Amino acid sequence: MHGEMDALENAGRQPASVYRQSIIYTTLSPCSMCTGAILLYGIPKVVISENQSFMGEEALLRSKGVEIQMMNHFMAEKYELWNEDIGE
């Protein structure tokens, strides 16, 4: 099971409205299976750590209106949150 699928499974049973307001964070660009889950759950935003070693279905996600953001942008834009999370 990939990380995205594991995260969705471990989130438990949630109303659809929760997923439509969620952001999923992933270490790699989502594969076809995880992209399908993201689309089926209606998750509007994906933050990806890196996509150089594996380019998944980012184009499909974008074509369906999902916002894609890279982690370096998140770290720059939300530096207080990032620093808090890493204990600084």
Side-chain angles (χ1 to χ4, degrees), residues 64-82:
K64 299 292 186 180
V66 176
E67 181 185 345
I68 304 286
Q69 186 178 39
M70 297 303 294
M71 183 62 84
N72 58 345
H73 295 291
F74 173 81
M75 290 166 37
E77 292 172 10
K78 308 277 187 180
Y79 60 88
E80 324 81 24
L81 182 60
W82 178 254

Side-chain angles (χ1 to χ4, degrees), residues 41-52:
Y41 277 78
I43 297 170
K45 185 174 182 177
V46 178
V47 177
I48 302 168
S49 181
E50 74 94 6
N51 62 1
Q52 299 302 306

Side-chain angles (χ1 to χ4, degrees), residues 10-83:
N10 282 300
R13 193 174 175 106
Q14 303 293 324
S17 61
V18 170
Y19 296 108
R20 282 186 290 226
Q21 297 175 30
S22 297
I23 301 171
I24 194 162
Y25 294 82
T26 180
T27 52
L28 295 174
S29 183
C31 70
S32 298
M33 176 179 65
C34 294
T35 294
I38 291 164
L39 294 173
L40 287 171
Y41 277 78
I43 297 170
K45 185 174 182 177
V46 178
V47 177
I48 302 168
S49 181
E50 74 94 6
N51 62 1
Q52 299 302 306
S53 61
F54 176 79
M55 175 57 79
E57 300 292 340
E58 292 178 39
L60 176 58
L61 288 168
R62 284 190 181 99
S63 77
K64 299 292 186 180
V66 176
E67 181 185 345
I68 304 286
Q69 186 178 39
M70 297 303 294
M71 183 62 84
N72 58 345
H73 295 291
F74 173 81
M75 290 166 37
E77 292 172 10
K78 308 277 187 180
Y79 60 88
E80 324 81 24
L81 182 60
W82 178 254
N83 287 334

